[in-house]
Amino acid sequence: MRTKYAAGNWKMNMSFEDGQILFSEVTNMVKDEVVNPNVKVVMGVPAPYLSSFSKLINTEKVSIAAQNCYPKASGAYTGEVSVPMLKSAGVEYVIIGHSERREYFNETDAFIAEKVDAILAEGLTPIFCCGETLGQREEGVHFDFVKGQLTNSLFHLDADALQKVVIAYEPIWAIGTGVTASSDQAQEMHKELRAHLASKYGAEVAENISILYGGSVKPGNAPELFSQPDIDGGLVGGASLDSRGFTDIAKSF
């Protein structure tokens, strides 16, 4: 059975003090309330908080994620954070390829592929983001575009390595807009991506890979989204900043 995920991406939000309260609240709620043993809760917090917050984890149900990394292990890269640094801070997951990184920082598929390799080399789990714009969907090229992101950044991996990657499909037009793809639209893309994985690696490998949906996931729509056969959870933005709401999302499976 594929692992189910409630993964939160805090983005550039929360002071240290407020974030510490939120992280502790979620960790304790998840420990006490989330009973499905196949659900993993991951919180992607700002880089300065990773080491301190990782020490607050008191249950195997919760892990901490970085929101980015640099692919080089060390060197003269002022301001960047390497995967070995993240690992030493207690990080288990790294979010990469988010549309905001692609748009604002001009990250390419090739550069993201380097990050994938660096994360896997340290034994951490990449959460690989992909997704299309509204214009691409309206033009009818959305399936090919998103499958191309997978091909360009993941298809150099062998099957064993690929199965250590979590994929997060995030339609750019639904991120932070309050607009959510219908469960049918989300399932349609997830099914298409799993078939694309199967076309190279075989159905058995494709069935082992968790594919998350991101795009205005909330407690109210999570149960319907997560009930779809190819949706294995969510990468949650704004709703991850509310401890009660995020925990309820984790309880939606």
Side-chain angles (χ1 to χ4, degrees):
M1 182 180 294
R2 295 189 296 269
T3 302
K4 306 297 184 180
Y5 285 93
N9 178 13
W10 291 14
K11 306 190 180 184
M12 197 175 70
N13 292 296
M14 289 285 169
S15 68
F16 181 88
E17 292 77 12
D18 290 343
Q20 190 173 41
I21 293 169
L22 173 60
F23 195 92
S24 296
E25 287 177 348
V26 171
T27 300
N28 288 320
M29 286 180 180
V30 169
K31 180 182 179 183
D32 295 339
E33 300 177 24
V34 179
V35 296
N36 187 328
N38 197 40
V39 173
K40 188 74 172 177
V41 174
V42 180
M43 285 183 278
V45 308
Y49 310 160
L50 289 166
S51 181
S52 296
F53 288 11
S54 68
K55 297 178 175 64
L56 301 176
I57 297 173
N58 58 8
T59 170
E60 292 182 353
K61 298 177 183 178
V62 172
S63 296
I64 195 166
Q67 297 178 18
N68 187 33
C69 69
Y70 194 70
K72 302 295 184 183
S74 62
Y77 304 100
T78 300
E80 295 296 334
V81 180
S82 71
V83 182
M85 290 176 179
L86 296 175
K87 185 176 182 178
S88 70
V91 168
E92 295 182 52
Y93 293 80
V94 186
I95 300 169
I96 53 170
H98 194 280
S99 61
E100 293 158 0
R101 299 294 313 178
R102 295 174 188 265
E103 179 181 357
Y104 304 149
F105 302 98
N106 301 311
E107 294 193 0
T108 65
D109 289 345
F111 186 55
I112 295 163
E114 291 183 45
K115 293 186 180 188
V116 170
D117 293 343
I119 294 164
L120 292 173
E122 291 297 325
L124 306 187
T125 300
I127 300 178
F128 172 82
C129 300
C130 55
E132 83 281 5
T133 66
L134 180 59
Q136 289 163 335
R137 176 168 281 269
E138 290 176 339
E139 292 171 14
V141 300
H142 49 298
F143 290 136
D144 288 342
F145 179 79
V146 181
K147 288 190 290 186
Q149 290 178 315
L150 267 63
T151 299
N152 296 338
S153 297
L154 298 180
F155 276 21
H156 65 287
L157 300 173
D158 63 27
D160 289 339
L162 183 75
Q163 291 175 92
K164 297 173 183 175
V165 177
V166 174
I167 295 171
Y169 164 62
E170 297 193 305
I172 297 170
W173 46 274
I175 298 175
T177 63
V179 177
T180 309
S182 70
S183 58
D184 288 342
Q185 285 176 314
Q187 164 59 21
E188 183 181 37
M189 179 63 83
H190 281 237
K191 182 179 180 180
E192 192 80 15
L193 295 182
R194 202 175 301 283
H196 187 54
L197 296 170
S199 70
K200 178 174 175 64
Y201 295 95
E204 183 176 355
V205 170
E207 286 298 318
N208 287 334
I209 297 171
S210 297
I211 306 178
L212 317 184
Y213 171 76
S216 298
V217 177
K218 302 178 180 67
N221 59 31
E224 181 179 354
L225 286 165
F226 297 172
S227 69
Q228 299 299 314
D230 288 296
I231 299 178
D232 302 308
L235 181 58
V236 184
S240 70
L241 301 177
D242 174 71
S243 57
R244 178 71 271 161
F246 185 58
T247 303
D248 286 344
I249 289 172
K251 295 167 66 178
S252 297
F253 295 95

